[in-house]
mmCIF file of all heavy atoms in Angstrom:
data_model
loop_
_atom_site.group_PDB
_atom_site.id
_atom_site.type_symbol
_atom_site.label_atom_id
_atom_site.label_comp_id
_atom_site.label_asym_id
_atom_site.label_seq_id
_atom_site.Cartn_x
_atom_site.Cartn_y
_atom_site.Cartn_z
ATOM 1 N N MET A 344 -28.993 -82.326 41.251
ATOM 2 C CA MET A 344 -28.925 -83.455 40.329
ATOM 3 C C MET A 344 -28.240 -84.686 40.928
ATOM 4 O O MET A 344 -28.231 -85.737 40.327
ATOM 5 C CB MET A 344 -28.150 -83.029 39.064
ATOM 6 C CG MET A 344 -28.795 -81.894 38.287
ATOM 7 S SD MET A 344 -30.322 -82.384 37.539
ATOM 8 C CE MET A 344 -29.737 -83.535 36.315
ATOM 9 N N ARG A 345 -27.649 -84.552 42.106
ATOM 10 C CA ARG A 345 -26.887 -85.682 42.652
ATOM 11 C C ARG A 345 -27.792 -86.812 43.083
ATOM 12 O O ARG A 345 -29.003 -86.630 43.308
ATOM 13 C CB ARG A 345 -25.999 -85.203 43.813
ATOM 14 C CG ARG A 345 -26.763 -84.930 45.108
ATOM 15 C CD ARG A 345 -25.820 -84.985 46.294
ATOM 16 N NE ARG A 345 -26.431 -84.608 47.557
ATOM 17 C CZ ARG A 345 -27.144 -85.427 48.315
ATOM 18 N NH1 ARG A 345 -27.405 -86.651 47.901
ATOM 19 N NH2 ARG A 345 -27.628 -85.013 49.480
ATOM 20 N N ALA A 346 -27.172 -87.988 43.236
ATOM 21 C CA ALA A 346 -27.908 -89.149 43.740
ATOM 22 C C ALA A 346 -28.355 -88.910 45.170
ATOM 23 O O ALA A 346 -27.620 -88.365 45.979
ATOM 24 C CB ALA A 346 -27.006 -90.374 43.677
ATOM 25 N N GLY A 347 -29.559 -89.322 45.483
ATOM 26 C CA GLY A 347 -30.142 -89.043 46.801
ATOM 27 C C GLY A 347 -31.175 -87.937 46.720
ATOM 28 O O GLY A 347 -32.006 -87.802 47.621
ATOM 29 N N ARG A 348 -31.118 -87.160 45.658
ATOM 30 C CA ARG A 348 -32.164 -86.165 45.403
ATOM 31 C C ARG A 348 -32.902 -86.590 44.142
ATOM 32 O O ARG A 348 -33.939 -87.211 44.242
ATOM 33 C CB ARG A 348 -31.559 -84.751 45.325
ATOM 34 C CG ARG A 348 -31.051 -84.262 46.687
ATOM 35 C CD ARG A 348 -30.850 -82.783 46.760
ATOM 36 N NE ARG A 348 -30.523 -82.359 48.116
ATOM 37 C CZ ARG A 348 -29.310 -82.023 48.523
ATOM 38 N NH1 ARG A 348 -28.284 -82.045 47.676
ATOM 39 N NH2 ARG A 348 -29.095 -81.660 49.788
ATOM 40 N N PHE A 349 -32.346 -86.264 42.986
ATOM 41 C CA PHE A 349 -32.928 -86.825 41.769
ATOM 42 C C PHE A 349 -32.082 -88.030 41.370
ATOM 43 O O PHE A 349 -31.056 -87.905 40.696
ATOM 44 C CB PHE A 349 -32.994 -85.778 40.652
ATOM 45 C CG PHE A 349 -34.124 -84.802 40.823
ATOM 46 C CD1 PHE A 349 -33.881 -83.499 41.180
ATOM 47 C CD2 PHE A 349 -35.433 -85.206 40.663
ATOM 48 C CE1 PHE A 349 -34.928 -82.612 41.362
ATOM 49 C CE2 PHE A 349 -36.484 -84.328 40.848
ATOM 50 C CZ PHE A 349 -36.233 -83.025 41.200
ATOM 51 N N ASP A 350 -32.523 -89.194 41.832
ATOM 52 C CA ASP A 350 -31.779 -90.426 41.586
ATOM 53 C C ASP A 350 -31.806 -90.817 40.125
ATOM 54 O O ASP A 350 -30.874 -91.415 39.621
ATOM 55 C CB ASP A 350 -32.367 -91.572 42.418
ATOM 56 C CG ASP A 350 -32.351 -91.268 43.904
ATOM 57 O OD1 ASP A 350 -31.301 -91.385 44.509
ATOM 58 O OD2 ASP A 350 -33.395 -90.905 44.438
ATOM 59 N N ARG A 351 -32.886 -90.507 39.464
ATOM 60 C CA ARG A 351 -33.053 -90.930 38.088
ATOM 61 C C ARG A 351 -33.327 -89.740 37.188
ATOM 62 O O ARG A 351 -34.137 -88.877 37.509
ATOM 63 C CB ARG A 351 -34.197 -91.933 37.974
ATOM 64 C CG ARG A 351 -33.975 -93.171 38.820
ATOM 65 C CD ARG A 351 -34.906 -94.246 38.456
ATOM 66 N NE ARG A 351 -34.599 -95.467 39.214
ATOM 67 C CZ ARG A 351 -35.213 -96.610 39.015
ATOM 68 N NH1 ARG A 351 -36.158 -96.704 38.093
ATOM 69 N NH2 ARG A 351 -34.884 -97.679 39.735
ATOM 70 N N SER A 352 -32.639 -89.729 36.074
ATOM 71 C CA SER A 352 -32.862 -88.714 35.050
ATOM 72 C C SER A 352 -33.334 -89.426 33.789
ATOM 73 O O SER A 352 -32.587 -90.206 33.200
ATOM 74 C CB SER A 352 -31.580 -87.923 34.793
ATOM 75 O OG SER A 352 -31.806 -86.866 33.892
ATOM 76 N N ILE A 353 -34.567 -89.175 33.387
ATOM 77 C CA ILE A 353 -35.168 -89.842 32.231
ATOM 78 C C ILE A 353 -35.223 -88.857 31.070
ATOM 79 O O ILE A 353 -35.846 -87.792 31.188
ATOM 80 C CB ILE A 353 -36.579 -90.360 32.559
ATOM 81 C CG1 ILE A 353 -36.534 -91.310 33.768
ATOM 82 C CG2 ILE A 353 -37.193 -91.042 31.366
ATOM 83 C CD1 ILE A 353 -37.902 -91.717 34.258
ATOM 84 N N TYR A 354 -34.585 -89.213 29.948
ATOM 85 C CA TYR A 354 -34.589 -88.332 28.785
ATOM 86 C C TYR A 354 -35.775 -88.683 27.898
ATOM 87 O O TYR A 354 -35.908 -89.821 27.436
ATOM 88 C CB TYR A 354 -33.278 -88.462 28.000
ATOM 89 C CG TYR A 354 -33.146 -87.413 26.911
ATOM 90 C CD1 TYR A 354 -32.906 -86.081 27.225
ATOM 91 C CD2 TYR A 354 -33.297 -87.746 25.577
ATOM 92 C CE1 TYR A 354 -32.807 -85.116 26.240
ATOM 93 C CE2 TYR A 354 -33.199 -86.785 24.589
ATOM 94 C CZ TYR A 354 -32.954 -85.467 24.922
ATOM 95 O OH TYR A 354 -32.876 -84.510 23.937
ATOM 96 N N VAL A 355 -36.625 -87.717 27.665
ATOM 97 C CA VAL A 355 -37.803 -87.883 26.808
ATOM 98 C C VAL A 355 -37.492 -87.217 25.474
ATOM 99 O O VAL A 355 -37.568 -85.999 25.318
ATOM 100 C CB VAL A 355 -39.055 -87.262 27.454
ATOM 101 C CG1 VAL A 355 -40.290 -87.562 26.628
ATOM 102 C CG2 VAL A 355 -39.234 -87.782 28.886
ATOM 103 N N ASP A 356 -37.124 -88.008 24.471
ATOM 104 C CA ASP A 356 -36.650 -87.501 23.186
ATOM 105 C C ASP A 356 -37.812 -87.314 22.219
ATOM 106 O O ASP A 356 -38.943 -87.761 22.465
ATOM 107 C CB ASP A 356 -35.631 -88.477 22.596
ATOM 108 C CG ASP A 356 -34.672 -87.790 21.632
ATOM 109 O OD1 ASP A 356 -34.886 -86.590 21.328
ATOM 110 O OD2 ASP A 356 -33.718 -88.447 21.169
ATOM 111 N N LEU A 357 -37.504 -86.639 21.092
ATOM 112 C CA LEU A 357 -38.493 -86.515 20.023
ATOM 113 C C LEU A 357 -38.832 -87.899 19.492
ATOM 114 O O LEU A 357 -37.961 -88.771 19.396
ATOM 115 C CB LEU A 357 -37.946 -85.636 18.896
ATOM 116 C CG LEU A 357 -37.782 -84.145 19.217
ATOM 117 C CD1 LEU A 357 -37.016 -83.445 18.112
ATOM 118 C CD2 LEU A 357 -39.131 -83.470 19.420
ATOM 119 N N PRO A 358 -40.081 -88.138 19.120
ATOM 120 C CA PRO A 358 -40.497 -89.494 18.724
ATOM 121 C C PRO A 358 -39.897 -89.942 17.392
ATOM 122 O O PRO A 358 -39.746 -89.146 16.459
ATOM 123 C CB PRO A 358 -42.018 -89.384 18.641
ATOM 124 C CG PRO A 358 -42.297 -87.932 18.417
ATOM 125 C CD PRO A 358 -41.201 -87.183 19.107
ATOM 126 N N GLU A 359 -39.568 -91.237 17.320
ATOM 127 C CA GLU A 359 -39.132 -91.843 16.063
ATOM 128 C C GLU A 359 -40.346 -92.121 15.170
ATOM 129 O O GLU A 359 -41.484 -91.834 15.542
ATOM 130 C CB GLU A 359 -38.387 -93.147 16.355
ATOM 131 C CG GLU A 359 -37.168 -93.000 17.255
ATOM 132 C CD GLU A 359 -36.000 -92.347 16.546
ATOM 133 O OE1 GLU A 359 -35.963 -92.393 15.295
ATOM 134 O OE2 GLU A 359 -35.125 -91.777 17.228
ATOM 135 N N LEU A 360 -40.066 -92.713 13.983
ATOM 136 C CA LEU A 360 -41.125 -92.955 13.003
ATOM 137 C C LEU A 360 -42.242 -93.816 13.579
ATOM 138 O O LEU A 360 -43.425 -93.452 13.493
ATOM 139 C CB LEU A 360 -40.540 -93.615 11.749
ATOM 140 C CG LEU A 360 -41.536 -93.954 10.626
ATOM 141 C CD1 LEU A 360 -42.189 -92.690 10.068
ATOM 142 C CD2 LEU A 360 -40.844 -94.724 9.510
ATOM 143 N N HIS A 361 -41.920 -94.957 14.184
ATOM 144 C CA HIS A 361 -42.966 -95.839 14.726
ATOM 145 C C HIS A 361 -43.674 -95.200 15.922
ATOM 146 O O HIS A 361 -44.876 -95.446 16.131
ATOM 147 C CB HIS A 361 -42.352 -97.192 15.123
ATOM 148 C CG HIS A 361 -41.428 -97.134 16.298
ATOM 149 N ND1 HIS A 361 -40.141 -96.684 16.206
ATOM 150 C CD2 HIS A 361 -41.610 -97.454 17.605
ATOM 151 C CE1 HIS A 361 -39.568 -96.736 17.398
ATOM 152 N NE2 HIS A 361 -40.422 -97.186 18.266
ATOM 153 N N GLU A 362 -42.960 -94.367 16.683
ATOM 154 C CA GLU A 362 -43.594 -93.675 17.810
ATOM 155 C C GLU A 362 -44.554 -92.587 17.324
ATOM 156 O O GLU A 362 -45.620 -92.386 17.918
ATOM 157 C CB GLU A 362 -42.519 -93.085 18.712
ATOM 158 C CG GLU A 362 -41.711 -94.126 19.474
ATOM 159 C CD GLU A 362 -40.605 -93.514 20.319
ATOM 160 O OE1 GLU A 362 -40.006 -92.507 19.897
ATOM 161 O OE2 GLU A 362 -40.332 -94.053 21.406
ATOM 162 N N ARG A 363 -44.181 -91.907 16.246
ATOM 163 C CA ARG A 363 -45.089 -90.891 15.682
ATOM 164 C C ARG A 363 -46.382 -91.544 15.194
ATOM 165 O O ARG A 363 -47.463 -90.977 15.320
ATOM 166 C CB ARG A 363 -44.405 -90.141 14.536
ATOM 167 C CG ARG A 363 -43.284 -89.227 14.972
ATOM 168 C CD ARG A 363 -42.973 -88.187 13.916
ATOM 169 N NE ARG A 363 -42.528 -88.769 12.657
ATOM 170 C CZ ARG A 363 -41.272 -89.118 12.378
ATOM 171 N NH1 ARG A 363 -40.316 -88.933 13.283
ATOM 172 N NH2 ARG A 363 -40.946 -89.650 11.221
ATOM 173 N N LYS A 364 -46.259 -92.735 14.617
ATOM 174 C CA LYS A 364 -47.458 -93.473 14.172
ATOM 175 C C LYS A 364 -48.360 -93.779 15.369
ATOM 176 O O LYS A 364 -49.596 -93.615 15.282
ATOM 177 C CB LYS A 364 -47.044 -94.760 13.463
ATOM 178 C CG LYS A 364 -48.193 -95.544 12.862
ATOM 179 C CD LYS A 364 -47.670 -96.750 12.094
ATOM 180 C CE LYS A 364 -48.821 -97.596 11.538
ATOM 181 N NZ LYS A 364 -49.633 -98.203 12.578
ATOM 182 N N GLN A 365 -47.790 -94.208 16.484
ATOM 183 C CA GLN A 365 -48.571 -94.467 17.694
ATOM 184 C C GLN A 365 -49.247 -93.201 18.218
ATOM 185 O O GLN A 365 -50.401 -93.235 18.660
ATOM 186 C CB GLN A 365 -47.672 -95.062 18.769
ATOM 187 C CG GLN A 365 -47.132 -96.449 18.440
ATOM 188 C CD GLN A 365 -46.113 -96.928 19.462
ATOM 189 O OE1 GLN A 365 -45.933 -96.337 20.520
ATOM 190 N NE2 GLN A 365 -45.402 -98.001 19.146
ATOM 191 N N ILE A 366 -48.512 -92.077 18.169
ATOM 192 C CA ILE A 366 -49.076 -90.797 18.628
ATOM 193 C C ILE A 366 -50.240 -90.387 17.732
ATOM 194 O O ILE A 366 -51.275 -89.910 18.204
ATOM 195 C CB ILE A 366 -47.984 -89.712 18.663
ATOM 196 C CG1 ILE A 366 -46.927 -90.061 19.709
ATOM 197 C CG2 ILE A 366 -48.589 -88.346 18.992
ATOM 198 C CD1 ILE A 366 -45.686 -89.186 19.647
ATOM 199 N N PHE A 367 -50.090 -90.581 16.418
ATOM 200 C CA PHE A 367 -51.189 -90.296 15.496
ATOM 201 C C PHE A 367 -52.406 -91.164 15.818
ATOM 202 O O PHE A 367 -53.552 -90.702 15.762
ATOM 203 C CB PHE A 367 -50.753 -90.518 14.044
ATOM 204 C CG PHE A 367 -50.236 -89.275 13.373
ATOM 205 C CD1 PHE A 367 -48.899 -89.170 13.037
ATOM 206 C CD2 PHE A 367 -51.073 -88.216 13.079
ATOM 207 C CE1 PHE A 367 -48.410 -88.021 12.423
ATOM 208 C CE2 PHE A 367 -50.597 -87.066 12.466
ATOM 209 C CZ PHE A 367 -49.264 -86.969 12.129
ATOM 210 N N ASP A 368 -52.175 -92.432 16.163
ATOM 211 C CA ASP A 368 -53.283 -93.335 16.510
ATOM 212 C C ASP A 368 -54.091 -92.791 17.695
ATOM 213 O O ASP A 368 -55.314 -92.861 17.703
ATOM 214 C CB ASP A 368 -52.745 -94.726 16.850
ATOM 215 C CG ASP A 368 -52.255 -95.482 15.614
ATOM 216 O OD1 ASP A 368 -52.699 -95.144 14.502
ATOM 217 O OD2 ASP A 368 -51.400 -96.404 15.762
ATOM 218 N N VAL A 369 -53.399 -92.249 18.685
ATOM 219 C CA VAL A 369 -54.067 -91.711 19.873
ATOM 220 C C VAL A 369 -54.916 -90.496 19.521
ATOM 221 O O VAL A 369 -56.086 -90.394 19.904
ATOM 222 C CB VAL A 369 -53.031 -91.348 20.966
ATOM 223 C CG1 VAL A 369 -53.693 -90.550 22.085
ATOM 224 C CG2 VAL A 369 -52.401 -92.596 21.534
ATOM 225 N N HIS A 370 -54.336 -89.557 18.776
ATOM 226 C CA HIS A 370 -55.034 -88.303 18.485
ATOM 227 C C HIS A 370 -56.111 -88.460 17.410
ATOM 228 O O HIS A 370 -57.113 -87.747 17.426
ATOM 229 C CB HIS A 370 -54.029 -87.226 18.067
ATOM 230 C CG HIS A 370 -53.120 -86.794 19.174
ATOM 231 N ND1 HIS A 370 -53.578 -86.157 20.314
ATOM 232 C CD2 HIS A 370 -51.790 -86.918 19.338
ATOM 233 C CE1 HIS A 370 -52.566 -85.915 21.119
ATOM 234 N NE2 HIS A 370 -51.464 -86.360 20.550
ATOM 235 N N LEU A 371 -55.915 -89.399 16.483
ATOM 236 C CA LEU A 371 -56.895 -89.602 15.420
ATOM 237 C C LEU A 371 -58.123 -90.358 15.897
ATOM 238 O O LEU A 371 -59.135 -90.392 15.208
ATOM 239 C CB LEU A 371 -56.250 -90.341 14.250
ATOM 240 C CG LEU A 371 -55.142 -89.575 13.486
ATOM 241 C CD1 LEU A 371 -54.591 -90.417 12.350
ATOM 242 C CD2 LEU A 371 -55.671 -88.255 12.944
ATOM 243 N N ALA A 372 -58.026 -90.991 17.055
ATOM 244 C CA ALA A 372 -59.168 -91.738 17.591
ATOM 245 C C ALA A 372 -60.362 -90.833 17.886
ATOM 246 O O ALA A 372 -61.513 -91.288 17.877
ATOM 247 C CB ALA A 372 -58.749 -92.479 18.858
ATOM 248 N N LYS A 373 -60.094 -89.560 18.128
ATOM 249 C CA LYS A 373 -61.167 -88.615 18.464
ATOM 250 C C LYS A 373 -61.675 -87.848 17.250
ATOM 251 O O LYS A 373 -62.538 -86.991 17.366
ATOM 252 C CB LYS A 373 -60.658 -87.628 19.513
ATOM 253 C CG LYS A 373 -60.130 -88.271 20.785
ATOM 254 C CD LYS A 373 -59.478 -87.269 21.691
ATOM 255 C CE LYS A 373 -58.860 -87.948 22.910
ATOM 256 N NZ LYS A 373 -58.129 -86.974 23.781
ATOM 257 N N ILE A 374 -61.126 -88.126 16.062
ATOM 258 C CA ILE A 374 -61.462 -87.374 14.856
ATOM 259 C C ILE A 374 -62.218 -88.275 13.875
ATOM 260 O O ILE A 374 -61.868 -89.450 13.703
ATOM 261 C CB ILE A 374 -60.182 -86.801 14.196
ATOM 262 C CG1 ILE A 374 -59.513 -85.799 15.147
ATOM 263 C CG2 ILE A 374 -60.493 -86.119 12.868
ATOM 264 C CD1 ILE A 374 -58.186 -85.270 14.635
ATOM 265 N N LYS A 375 -63.216 -87.724 13.206
ATOM 266 C CA LYS A 375 -63.961 -88.451 12.188
ATOM 267 C C LYS A 375 -63.129 -88.461 10.905
ATOM 268 O O LYS A 375 -62.985 -87.445 10.231
ATOM 269 C CB LYS A 375 -65.320 -87.788 11.953
ATOM 270 C CG LYS A 375 -66.246 -88.582 11.062
ATOM 271 C CD LYS A 375 -67.586 -87.891 10.910
ATOM 272 C CE LYS A 375 -68.499 -88.695 9.987
ATOM 273 N NZ LYS A 375 -69.802 -88.004 9.798
ATOM 274 N N LEU A 376 -62.575 -89.609 10.554
ATOM 275 C CA LEU A 376 -61.595 -89.712 9.473
ATOM 276 C C LEU A 376 -62.189 -90.293 8.209
ATOM 277 O O LEU A 376 -63.164 -91.047 8.238
ATOM 278 C CB LEU A 376 -60.413 -90.582 9.917
ATOM 279 C CG LEU A 376 -59.547 -90.078 11.071
ATOM 280 C CD1 LEU A 376 -58.534 -91.141 11.455
ATOM 281 C CD2 LEU A 376 -58.849 -88.789 10.687
ATOM 282 N N ASP A 377 -61.552 -89.964 7.098
ATOM 283 C CA ASP A 377 -61.823 -90.609 5.820
ATOM 284 C C ASP A 377 -61.267 -92.040 5.850
ATOM 285 O O ASP A 377 -60.314 -92.335 6.566
ATOM 286 C CB ASP A 377 -61.173 -89.789 4.698
ATOM 287 C CG ASP A 377 -61.706 -90.191 3.337
ATOM 288 O OD1 ASP A 377 -62.928 -90.412 3.175
ATOM 289 O OD2 ASP A 377 -60.910 -90.278 2.427
ATOM 290 N N GLU A 378 -61.834 -92.931 5.055
ATOM 291 C CA GLU A 378 -61.442 -94.342 5.113
ATOM 292 C C GLU A 378 -60.016 -94.585 4.629
ATOM 293 O O GLU A 378 -59.340 -95.505 5.082
ATOM 294 C CB GLU A 378 -62.418 -95.181 4.280
ATOM 295 C CG GLU A 378 -63.832 -95.220 4.868
ATOM 296 C CD GLU A 378 -64.776 -96.029 4.037
ATOM 297 O OE1 GLU A 378 -64.353 -96.524 2.960
ATOM 298 O OE2 GLU A 378 -65.959 -96.174 4.446
ATOM 299 N N ASN A 379 -59.522 -93.773 3.700
ATOM 300 C CA ASN A 379 -58.223 -94.039 3.092
ATOM 301 C C ASN A 379 -57.063 -93.306 3.771
ATOM 302 O O ASN A 379 -56.015 -93.089 3.149
ATOM 303 C CB ASN A 379 -58.252 -93.686 1.596
ATOM 304 C CG ASN A 379 -58.592 -92.227 1.363
ATOM 305 O OD1 ASN A 379 -58.883 -91.485 2.300
ATOM 306 N ND2 ASN A 379 -58.542 -91.804 0.110
#
Side-chain angles (χ1 to χ4, degrees):
M344 298 292 292
R345 75 158 174 83
R348 291 198 173 104
F349 283 108
D350 302 282
R351 301 194 175 185
S352 185
I353 303 173
Y354 189 72
V355 186
D356 205 353
L357 291 170
E359 302 287 338
L360 179 63
H361 69 282
E362 291 177 325
R363 290 200 298 275
K364 185 176 177 295
Q365 294 173 11
I366 295 170
F367 267 112
D368 288 338
V369 169
H370 292 296
L371 294 180
K373 303 172 184 176
I374 297 175
K375 188 178 179 182
L376 296 174
D377 195 42
E378 293 179 357
N379 60 356

